[in-house]
Amino acid sequence: MKNTIISPSILAADFANLQRDIELINNSEAEWFHIDVMDGVFVPNISFGMPVIKSIAQHAKKPLDVHLMIVDPDRYIKTFAQLGANVLTVHYEACTHLHRTLQAIKNEGMQAGVAINPHTNVTLLEDTIKDIDLVCVMSVNPGFGGQSFIENTYKKVRQLRQIIEANNASTKIEIDGGVTDKNAKQLVDAGADVLVAGSYVFGSSDPTRTIKELKNLVQS
Ligand code: DX5
Ligand code: ZN
């Protein structure tokens, strides 16, 4: 049976109790830490930057899945490698030379991810799919946690899965935004490999149990 990766989004953690929430993920069934970096330009919000990520990395015992919602991400590829990012995801809409950016990420020893906004057609990735380790399909407009899931995402995931298979690529599909117990199974059935969940996990009364339940739901 395929293993679905759960990547809780730290954006929804309690920043005044960050170490507690990191330990919670360390001791849970989640596989990755999803880390949202927002610059207030590419998206209408600012999240956190390098000093905070450095502190997260010191405590996190699982891979760091860093999602850059910033313009011109090439400027910081080396910095994120030094900070300990394992997967570095840039936005398709923020890269003029996407192919070059992907090579630069891999040259720093990280897995290269590409995120696509809800309006971006998956077929635009056909010519780079073999070079992409992970496609992050945005199921909300990036910038904020706690938004509602966009239903058109299922169609995009199915189309993307076909492109990956037609090219014999090993690219993972990640879903980011509004993931809950209501859509998780359907997303995995459509072809998703990684589920990001922020407010659904950290907004629940028992995040560890919520992660476990999400995991059980998609494995069944
Ligand atoms: C949105 C971020 C998401 C967000 C998900 O811009 O990229 O990772 O934290 O949060 P939820 O799960 O609350 O939609
Ligand atoms: Zn994200």
Side-chain angles (χ1 to χ4, degrees), residues 157-193:
V157 175
R158 282 193 295 270
Q159 286 177 339
L160 185 56
R161 180 52 61 199
Q162 277 178 5
I163 292 171
I164 292 167
E165 277 168 19
N167 285 277
N168 207 14
S170 51
T171 317
K172 284 187 169 62
I173 302 178
E174 175 176 73
I175 314 298
D176 189 9
V179 171
T180 68
D181 59 342
K182 303 281 181 294
N183 49 33
K185 178 83 170 88
Q186 227 179 312
L187 285 166
V188 170
D189 289 348
D193 305 290

Side-chain angles (χ1 to χ4, degrees), residues 75-103:
R75 294 170 294 164
Y76 297 112
I77 291 172
K78 261 193 195 317
T79 308
F80 282 103
Q82 285 160 358
L83 283 167
N86 299 89
V87 183
L88 191 66
T89 297
V90 295
H91 262 266
Y92 174 87
E93 303 83 7
C95 294
T96 313
H97 301 287
L98 181 65
H99 186 269
R100 179 183 286 152
T101 303
L102 295 171
Q103 304 314 318

